[in-house]
Amino acid sequence: MKLNIAKNICSIFIFGSVMLGSGCSKFLDEQDPSNLTPESFYTIPEHAESAIASVYADTRFIGDGAGIFSSNWQLLEAVTGTATTETAQNSDLNNLLGLIHDGNTGHVINWWNGLYRVIAQANLVLEKVPGIPEMDEAQKKRILGEAHFLRAWAYFYAVRLWGPVPIITKPQTTASEDFLPARAPVEEVYNLIVSDLTTAEAAGLPWMDKRGRVSTAAVKSEMAIVYLTMAGQPLNKGASHYKLAADKANEVITYANSNPNVINLFDTYADVHRESLKNEREHIFMLQYNSLVASNPMDNMYPNFKPVTYNGASGTGSTVPTAQFYRSYENGDLRAVDREGYFYTSYFTDGNGALFQLGAPYIFKHFNTVANGSSGVAGTRTNNLNVPLIRYAEVLLVHAEAQNELGGPTPEAYNGLKRIRDRAKLVTPDLGTYTQSTFREAVWRERWHELCYEQITWFDMVRLRKVYNETTNGFDNFVGHVNLSSNQALQEKHLLFPLPRPELQNNPNLTPQNPGYPN
């Protein structure tokens, strides 16, 4: 019986094959037009716009969660020694604070995956958009320029986090020859970064873009930061790249001086986290957030167990300043004045009620008063605040530092430093009182105090091989400096993060692991 059934099925199959003939093959070869592929998608200008939007969207991985009471951005805060935690319920975050992280640490894994996702999406745009027919050339050039910038942005993080990293510039499939790429030397990675930024600089982008897209100011500012980094460790390019950094920063400053309503410092520190001013003036480049898509991810920087928002006391925050760092601000520094600068020691109950004392300083640099409430005004509960990545304040300090390294402080370098201090209501000694050495450390101190909690400080520590000492007000060598957040000393191995263990398991060509970390 079974044999007969099998014979009948076979006969039916043969008969059907004869009757269908080549039609069967044609039917099987047809593709569902609604199932988009890279080959079928990049056909009209709207596809290019959607594709570049997806690259921007992927940059938001920085704000994604990294386990209970933790976020990816804390990778670059916990290790600086300027912040600690009140919850202590996330083992990966605790390991970062204690400087005992390794390749299994979730934040490390998430950053690798997030950065290479941005790179992969940018590569797809760069590969496919040039072939889109009947597309305005200016629009095409702009989108390609944005993709080049975003790829450079991702690689700049990667090379500073891990040193030698794989360079991937084409869309990958399992059949790609370099599907399991080896790590490229650090200088080669920087060469790609500079090349991408140079292309983006020539893409005809607007000087500023209130939509939050890459602008000429963002490209030039990023170039200045890249050159400043290359001048320091580990490449030690020195004077040539200090000159490049100073010149590129000066291009932004020159434009700002002629267009102060377009690029400038904000008048108050509250403006730095004012929702209505995102992507404007001081905010040269930001991660974009809107509650309809993704709300601002900095809630983990709010006070723990304190009713400062409409939620009341939530207990979900996990990043707070160390008391030593808060006290390191000069007397009268507006940045450390309650509800005037970047720290609050009091706030309104449930966001808009009676004023109460917090009992300690907390970071309010990313606090959205519109969403969370202010005196007598209830919060909207929708947090549309962006996350700053490049502020004009940083550009001024990049220029001041780089110009000083070329032979000492100049009036232009001094003016940049003074502008930062003027806003803080601090008196700046006369230019003639500075030497190259004392001006250098003055600029470094302003970087620590002005740019804190913006995921910048760690990279300063690595490129300078110096760390601000909150107690002495001077600078220690990186190796041996004790982070007061954990009383643990920085070691040589901490200059790089470990490669994620899953990546080492998946790709043997990544070995060896960075020095000092277990394979």
Side-chain angles (χ1 to χ4, degrees):
M1 175 66 71
K2 291 180 181 179
L3 181 61
N4 289 337
I5 293 174
K7 284 182 178 179
N8 289 338
I9 291 174
C10 186
S11 299
I12 294 170
F13 178 78
I14 293 171
F15 176 76
S17 297
V18 171
M19 291 296 292
L20 291 172
S22 61
C24 178
S25 174
K26 184 176 180 181
F27 171 77
L28 294 174
D29 289 342
E30 287 184 357
Q31 296 184 0
D32 182 355
S34 66
N35 185 19
L36 294 173
T37 67
E39 289 69 34
S40 64
F41 178 70
Y42 291 90
T43 56
I44 57 175
E46 287 79 1
H47 291 168
E49 296 288 356
S50 296
I52 194 65
S54 72
V55 189
Y56 282 106
D58 282 337
T59 62
R60 286 198 293 264
F61 81 88
I62 290 177
D64 289 348
I68 185 172
F69 299 160
S70 191
S71 302
N72 288 336
W73 54 261
Q74 287 169 316
L75 176 78
L76 296 175
E77 297 298 344
V79 288
T80 64
T82 63
T84 186
T85 178
E86 285 189 336
T87 52
Q89 292 174 286
N90 184 293
S91 59
D92 283 340
L93 180 58
N94 290 339
N95 289 341
L96 288 166
L97 288 164
L99 301 176
I100 56 173
H101 48 280
D102 59 24
N104 292 309
T105 300
H107 304 70
V108 174
I109 296 169
N110 293 346
W111 269 84
W112 181 284
N113 292 340
L115 290 172
Y116 273 99
R117 189 176 299 114
V118 171
I119 291 166
Q121 292 281 48
N123 284 341
L124 211 57
V125 171
L126 295 172
E127 179 82 5
K128 299 296 183 182
V129 167
I132 296 178
E134 299 180 5
M135 183 175 177
D136 178 73
E137 286 303 314
Q139 180 188 22
K140 184 180 291 187
K141 188 176 182 180
R142 173 181 56 78
I143 288 174
L144 293 174
E146 292 174 77
H148 277 290
F149 174 91
L150 293 170
R151 185 171 70 178
W153 174 87
Y155 270 118
F156 188 38
Y157 274 113
V159 73
R160 290 179 294 171
L161 290 171
W162 295 289
V165 291
I167 292 179
I168 303 170
T169 59
K170 298 289 183 182
Q172 297 288 293
T173 70
T174 54
S176 299
E177 289 185 8
D178 58 346
F179 185 66
L180 298 175
R183 300 165 74 182
V186 167
E187 188 152 7
E188 288 186 20
V189 181
Y190 273 102
N191 288 342
L192 173 63
I193 293 167
V194 171
S195 175
D196 272 346
L197 291 175
T198 301
T199 301
E201 189 180 26
L205 304 173
W207 258 97
M208 288 286 280
D209 194 326
K210 290 186 178 182
R211 300 171 301 171
R213 297 178 75 150
V214 178
S215 65
T216 292
V219 176
K220 290 181 182 292
S221 299
E222 184 82 341
M223 292 178 85
I225 297 166
V226 168
Y227 287 137
L228 184 71
T229 303
M230 295 176 74
Q233 298 279 3
L235 292 181
N236 288 309
K237 294 290 185 180
S240 63
H241 282 64
Y242 282 124
K243 178 72 164 58
L244 289 168
D247 288 349
K248 201 55 65 176
N250 190 53
E251 290 180 30
V252 180
I253 293 169
T254 299
Y255 179 88
N257 289 342
S258 299
N259 301 273
N261 292 328
V262 180
I263 300 177
N264 209 337
L265 292 179
F266 286 130
D267 296 329
T268 71
Y269 294 112
D271 289 343
V272 173
H273 54 108
R274 196 180 302 281
E275 186 178 306
S276 61
L277 293 176
K278 59 186 185 180
N279 303 325
E280 294 186 33
R281 293 179 67 189
E282 187 166 344
H283 288 310
I284 290 177
F285 189 58
M286 312 183 82
L287 290 181
Q288 303 298 300
Y289 285 92
N290 185 291
S291 59
L292 296 176
V293 179
S295 291
N296 178 278
M298 308 307 283
D299 288 0
N300 283 332
M301 210 173 267
Y302 297 170
N304 303 305
F305 313 114
K306 311 286 184 178
V308 298
T309 76
Y310 55 84
N311 286 321
S314 64
T316 59
S318 52
T319 292
V320 296
T322 60
Q324 297 94 331
F325 181 70
Y326 175 73
R327 290 197 297 265
S328 71
Y329 283 80
E330 293 177 45
N331 291 334
D333 192 326
L334 199 62
R335 290 169 295 195
V337 173
D338 180 33
R339 287 178 287 120
E340 290 281 348
Y342 296 147
F343 304 88
Y344 289 3
T345 55
S346 66
Y347 205 62
F348 307 100
T349 305
D350 295 335
N352 66 319
L355 185 69
F356 74 103
Q357 297 300 312
L358 299 175
Y362 288 90
I363 305 163
F364 274 66
K365 201 173 198 179
H366 303 277
F367 189 86
N368 187 347
T369 56
V370 172
N372 296 313
S374 57
S375 180
V377 181
T380 63
R381 303 186 178 219
T382 55
N383 194 345
N384 298 318
L385 195 64
N386 288 344
V387 174
L389 293 178
I390 303 174
R391 288 193 291 123
Y392 186 54
E394 183 178 9
V395 176
L396 291 172
L397 291 171
V398 167
H399 180 261
E401 180 181 349
Q403 193 65 54
N404 180 63
E405 293 300 331
L406 296 174
T410 63
E412 293 77 17
Y414 174 82
N415 183 61
L417 175 69
K418 188 175 184 300
R419 289 195 64 191
I420 299 298
R421 292 177 59 81
D422 283 351
R423 184 168 64 171
K425 305 300 182 185
L426 295 173
V427 175
T428 305
D430 292 338
L431 173 60
T433 65
Y434 286 105
T435 65
Q436 184 181 41
S437 178
T438 58
F439 189 81
R440 176 187 295 129
E441 291 200 0
V443 173
W444 290 352
R445 271 189 290 273
E446 291 307 317
R447 288 188 65 88
W448 252 261
H449 288 135
E450 176 64 35
L451 306 176
C452 60
Y453 312 117
E454 294 182 45
Q455 297 79 66
I456 292 171
T457 300
W458 176 254
F459 294 129
D460 280 346
M461 293 165 63
V462 171
R463 71 177 176 86
L464 297 172
R465 299 296 197 263
K466 297 286 185 180
V467 185
Y468 177 62
N469 186 314
E470 304 96 319
T471 304
T472 67
N473 201 38
F475 288 84
D476 299 339
N477 290 330
F478 180 98
V479 176
H481 170 83
V482 175
N483 278 0
L484 297 183
S485 59
S486 61
N487 290 320
Q488 298 299 312
L490 290 162
Q491 303 172 41
E492 184 81 23
K493 73 171 187 177
H494 294 130
L495 291 167
L496 294 175
F497 281 90
L499 297 175
R501 186 164 179 264
E503 298 303 318
L504 288 171
Q505 291 174 322
N506 292 334
N507 181 6
N509 294 329
L510 291 178
T511 56
Q513 173 64 280
N514 279 335
Y517 297 102
N519 287 321

